[in-house]
Amino acid sequence: MLALCREKAEGQGLHPTLHHQRMERLDLPTLYRTIIVSSSSFQLLTDLDSSTAAMAQLHGHLEEGGALVMPFMTLWSEGDPTETDWELTGEATREDGALVRRWTWFRYDVETQLEHVEFRYEVTLDGQVIEEETQRFSPETRSYTQPQAVASYTAAGFEEVRVLEGFDRQHASKDARLFTVVGIRGDRPSSSPCPG
């Protein structure tokens, strides 16, 4: 991902400073006015101790009054299935005419709020399977409700925490499953654990 970022930036005459670090051990040489954590990637921290440490590090890398902006997804709600059958979720044809298909299976653990996912890839050419691969991510992602996301911000010392609809600037409806949380760095340090 960083290599692609560098390549695309250089193609536009830009030379960004890029860092490769884990969020929970973030140690950058400067403070920021705004930190944006993209594409619900915070939810890849499936261990609550790691997510608590990451929130503290993000808080600590902001200037006083700086904003942390993160999108979240609620992966499961009451009434949703907790497991799916294999489902075709992607298909593309390569330049050589081979057909690439991706199937996805997932299981959601209601108690731990963790999603477990498997991807199966199959490449066929002239009706023959020429490649297969299965990838398992267990667990892959932690689900957050809006109150849980807000609580993690508040526990880390953020103030003026707002929940926005999707990637919009409007206040989120209480049942929005894709939402963005914005919090302002307060003057108290992070110390409380993130509630589960």
Side-chain angles (χ1 to χ4, degrees), residues 24 37 40-41 44 50 57 79 94 103 120 130 132 137 142 149 159-160 164 192 194:
E24 63 270 36
V37 179
S40 307
S41 57
L44 297 174
S50 294
Q57 292 303 100
R94 296 190 321 200
W103 283 267
R120 189 174 73 225
I130 59 172
E132 285 183 293
F137 302 94
R142 172 171 293 284
E159 300 173 351
E160 301 175 43
L164 307 175
S192 304
C194 172

Side-chain angles (χ1 to χ4, degrees), residues 1-108:
M1 186 169 58
L2 292 178
L4 285 171
C5 177
R6 188 181 311 282
E7 180 183 322
K8 289 182 178 183
E10 288 175 355
Q12 297 181 23
L14 303 172
H15 304 283
T17 300
L18 302 175
H19 300 275
H20 181 209
Q21 297 180 11
R22 296 187 60 86
M23 277 188 273
E24 63 270 36
R25 294 193 295 270
L26 197 62
D27 186 17
L28 302 176
T30 190
L31 298 180
Y32 299 90
R33 182 76 185 139
T34 304
I35 295 175
I36 300 172
V37 179
S38 63
S39 188
S40 307
S41 57
F42 181 77
Q43 293 182 249
L44 297 174
L45 298 174
T46 57
D47 175 74
L48 287 175
D49 289 338
S50 294
S51 59
T52 299
M55 287 298 287
Q57 292 303 100
L58 292 165
H59 183 274
H61 278 79
L62 284 167
E63 297 175 357
E64 183 67 28
L68 174 62
V69 181
M70 287 199 293
F72 287 84
M73 292 182 294
T74 300
L75 302 172
W76 183 87
S77 292
E78 193 68 40
D80 289 350
T82 57
E83 188 170 336
T84 64
D85 291 327
W86 284 100
E87 183 179 321
L88 182 63
T89 56
E91 191 172 78
T93 303
R94 296 190 321 200
E95 288 182 12
D96 64 358
L99 181 63
V100 181
R101 290 187 172 136
R102 179 183 71 192
W103 283 267
T104 305
W105 169 91
F106 91 94
R107 178 178 60 82
Y108 182 79

Side-chain angles (χ1 to χ4, degrees), residues 142-194:
R142 172 171 293 284
S143 186
Y144 283 82
T145 63
Q146 291 180 33
Q148 289 170 332
V150 168
S152 68
Y153 268 68
T154 303
F158 287 94
E159 300 173 351
E160 301 175 43
V161 179
R162 293 177 291 143
V163 181
L164 307 175
E165 188 82 29
F167 300 106
D168 205 343
R169 292 184 179 193
Q170 296 184 354
H171 183 74
S173 62
K174 67 177 182 160
D175 56 348
R177 292 176 74 155
L178 174 62
F179 55 94
T180 298
V181 181
V182 179
I184 305 301
R185 178 182 171 161
D187 58 3
R188 72 179 179 88
S190 169
S191 61
S192 304
C194 172

Side-chain angles (χ1 to χ4, degrees), residues 119-143:
F119 299 106
R120 189 174 73 225
Y121 298 90
E122 183 181 86
V123 180
T124 59
L125 183 62
D126 299 326
Q128 299 293 319
V129 175
I130 59 172
E131 286 181 68
E132 285 183 293
E133 181 178 325
T134 300
Q135 298 174 346
R136 173 181 285 170
F137 302 94
S138 186
E140 182 192 44
T141 316
R142 172 171 293 284
S143 186

